[in-house]
Amino acid sequence: MASEMTSQAYISHHLTNWTLGVHPENGLSFAATAQEASEMGFWAIHVDTMLWSVVLGLLFTWFFRKVAKTATSGVPGSAQNFVETIIEFVEDNVSSIFHYKNALIAPLALTIFVWIFLMNAMDLVPVDWIPFLTQKIGEAFGADPHHVYMKVVPTTDVNATLGMALAVFGLIVYYSIKMKGLGGFLGELAFQPLGKMFLPFNLFLEVVGLLAKPISLALRLFGNMYAGEMIFILIALMPFWAQWVLSVPWAIFHILVITLQAFIFMVLTIVYLAMSHEHH
Amino acid sequence: MNINLTIIGQIIAFAFFVVFCMKYVWPPLTDALAERKKKIADGLDAADRAHRDLKLAQEKAVSDMRASKEEAAAIIEQANKRANQIVDEAKEKAREEAERLVAAAQAEIDQEANRAKEALRAQVAALAVAGAEKILEASVDESAHAQLVEKLAAEL
């Protein structure tokens, strides 16, 4: 792959999403270049991000549903054992952080953990395999292979991480208002930490603190995965016989990173939602 | 790195997966886990109870055994006593019977002896008379000497 084009073109090709959107000149179309994709503005969708995240989400729900349907309280099979280990891990984390009664939190944490883990794990598929295959398929359908984009790790797309973070943010606001009332929620924003005399200062501080939660959630995950993917791409620029020297250690290290990032996202979500239930 | 509609798509997908997980994945699995926890607790409870029951049963078995041993000993003792009693009774009876038999035999012997004596006496009287007749070669008046003969016979 790398030999066919310049390194810069190779990297930017790998970092461009397969975008479907309304282009000001071409109308509804797939973006042929990264520039076209950005010209589409907000009314565009990253087909590869959606495709892979939904496929992996369905894989998660399908597998867990299959096990849940046949779940027995007797001796569990190996699949049930595996799923139960994850469930108990998540449940332990939830019960140690979140002390309120809420049927949503634990399944939410489980979904976040497994789904993000699976999306991150796409990082471990060699960087060229799926894009190369897609280019061949695109070519077969008569498309220019240089204009066929396929970014397989959804969490290296800031839209995916920010989407989840915004959903969590929505839950934070919803539960804050539900547990404390609208007045209580706004009161916390306005009258803390310095009391009524410093209302504008309080409001500024608390609003920034509130908004920092989803932003930090989204950017932490995105940054880690984007950087990791970037390094895999840079390693792929090396001669093929030397790549394993770097790619194998980096992949092994990345097993830790993808699990850790999924775990951090889950734990912070639980912490934020526990905070939204608390009265200060 | 464009922010676009994908963000909305991701929120929708995320919400769908969370709701699905909450409705169809989490409850059955945690129910199974809770049920197993309860089963294990029940099992441990039952084991404890069985252990206690076993101890009680062992104690009861030991005390039962002791009681039946005592009972058996008492029965044996009683049986021995009874046996001795029966033997004594039998001995007594046998002795009495023997005495009775001896007495009856004695009486019969006496009677026989008397009878034999009577017969002998009669015969001796006759013999004496006959002998005397022969010796005297004379007819002795039996009636005249009857008194004498009888006297003689009584002395025999």
Side-chain angles (χ1 to χ4, degrees):
Chain A
M1 287 299 298
S3 57
E4 290 173 21
M5 41 179 139
T6 65
S7 299
Q8 200 202 340
Y10 175 77
I11 293 170
S12 72
H13 187 270
H14 264 281
L15 292 180
T16 305
N17 282 102
W18 179 13
T19 313
L20 172 68
V22 184
H23 192 266
E25 286 161 30
N26 305 342
L28 183 68
S29 59
F30 290 111
T33 61
Q35 203 207 334
E36 265 188 45
S38 61
E39 279 167 7
M40 286 173 178
F42 185 77
W43 296 107
I45 192 156
H46 292 160
V47 181
D48 45 6
T49 300
M50 286 310 297
L51 177 75
W52 287 108
S53 61
V54 168
V55 163
L56 292 167
L58 289 176
L59 182 73
F60 153 64
T61 46
W62 166 78
F63 179 65
F64 274 61
R65 176 61 190 156
K66 198 180 85 150
V67 173
K69 256 197 291 193
T70 55
T72 163
S73 61
V75 180
S78 52
Q80 194 186 339
N81 223 334
F82 172 68
V83 167
E84 277 177 8
T85 311
I86 298 173
I87 295 258
E88 282 185 326
F89 169 70
V90 171
E91 204 171 26
D92 278 355
N93 278 298
V94 171
S95 60
S96 67
I97 300 170
F98 190 87
H99 304 293
Y100 306 89
K101 219 173 156 48
N102 192 329
L104 175 70
I105 304 302
L108 175 75
L110 175 71
T111 310
I112 287 175
F113 181 66
V114 181
W115 195 30
I116 292 181
F117 176 81
L118 289 173
M119 290 195 287
N120 290 354
M122 292 306 288
D123 218 1
L124 297 175
V125 179
V127 281
D128 277 332
W129 280 10
I130 297 172
F132 182 73
L133 198 69
T134 330
Q135 282 188 329
K136 290 290 165 213
I137 294 169
E139 222 173 347
F141 280 97
D144 182 352
H146 292 292
H147 295 163
V148 174
Y149 300 100
M150 178 56 80
K151 212 170 144 195
V152 293
V153 190
T155 41
T156 58
D157 182 352
V158 76
N159 288 291
T161 60
L162 199 56
M164 279 187 290
L166 285 179
V168 171
F169 178 68
L171 287 174
I172 292 172
V173 174
Y174 171 74
Y175 281 118
S176 292
I177 293 172
K178 194 184 167 196
M179 301 305 289
K180 304 161 198 166
L182 187 59
F185 175 54
L186 294 178
E188 263 182 18
L189 288 182
F191 305 136
Q192 284 179 1
L194 290 179
K196 288 180 186 177
M197 298 299 290
F198 296 90
L199 192 141
F201 178 75
N202 291 340
L203 203 57
F204 173 73
L205 203 66
E206 288 290 315
V207 168
V208 167
L210 187 66
L211 293 179
K213 287 173 183 174
I215 303 289
S216 67
L217 262 188
L219 293 186
R220 180 183 302 106
L221 179 58
F222 164 72
N224 271 283
M225 297 321 294
Y226 190 82
E229 180 77 349
M230 188 67 141
I231 293 191
F232 275 121
I233 294 168
L234 293 176
I235 292 170
L237 289 170
M238 293 168 63
F240 73 93
W241 46 266
Q243 289 181 12
W244 64 272
V245 177
L246 290 174
S247 66
V248 169
W250 184 244
I252 291 170
F253 174 63
H254 236 246
I255 294 173
L256 175 71
V257 172
I258 62 180
T259 318
L260 196 63
Q261 287 306 320
F263 177 68
I264 289 172
F265 202 109
M266 175 187 85
V267 168
L268 285 179
T269 302
I270 303 169
V271 169
Y272 291 157
L273 286 172
M275 282 163 73
S276 73
H277 282 66
E278 260 162 33
H279 291 264
H280 294 288
Chain B
M1 201 174 67
N2 315 305
I3 300 286
N4 56 28
L5 262 185
T6 315
I7 212 167
I8 311 287
Q10 284 291 317
I11 292 175
I12 294 166
F14 183 52
F16 168 78
F17 291 131
V18 170
V19 168
F20 184 89
C21 184
M22 189 170 116
K23 284 222 150 81
Y24 302 109
V25 173
W26 191 263
L29 284 167
T30 46
D31 284 356
L33 283 173
E35 202 178 313
R36 182 172 321 133
K37 223 173 257 176
K38 195 175 165 302
K39 264 190 188 171
I40 291 171
D42 287 354
L44 288 175
D45 243 27
D48 270 359
R49 215 173 316 121
H51 195 71
R52 239 184 354 258
D53 285 356
L54 180 65
K55 224 175 201 172
L56 284 178
Q58 270 171 347
E59 276 165 18
K60 189 165 153 40
V62 167
S63 73
D64 276 4
M65 192 109 78
R66 196 179 305 126
S68 43
K69 260 185 192 161
E70 278 166 12
E71 203 176 336
I75 288 171
I76 288 171
E77 202 180 331
Q78 205 177 354
N80 278 339
K81 219 186 278 172
R82 178 91 186 105
N84 285 340
Q85 201 180 350
I86 288 169
V87 168
D88 285 354
E89 271 174 18
K91 268 185 190 160
E92 186 67 24
K93 246 186 210 161
R95 205 169 48 77
E96 278 171 9
E97 183 70 11
E99 274 173 8
R100 201 178 54 76
L101 282 176
V102 168
Q106 194 64 49
E108 203 169 332
I109 289 167
D110 286 356
Q111 214 175 349
E112 283 294 319
N114 281 344
R115 204 178 298 137
K117 263 182 201 165
E118 276 315 307
L120 218 59
R121 208 178 280 151
Q123 277 180 1
V124 165
L127 271 176
V129 171
E133 266 177 8
K134 276 201 181 146
I135 293 163
L136 294 176
E137 289 203 331
S139 179
V140 181
D141 185 5
E142 268 184 49
S143 57
H145 300 289
Q147 206 175 356
L148 187 72
V149 170
E150 260 177 38
K151 203 174 163 193
L152 193 71
E155 274 170 18
L156 282 169

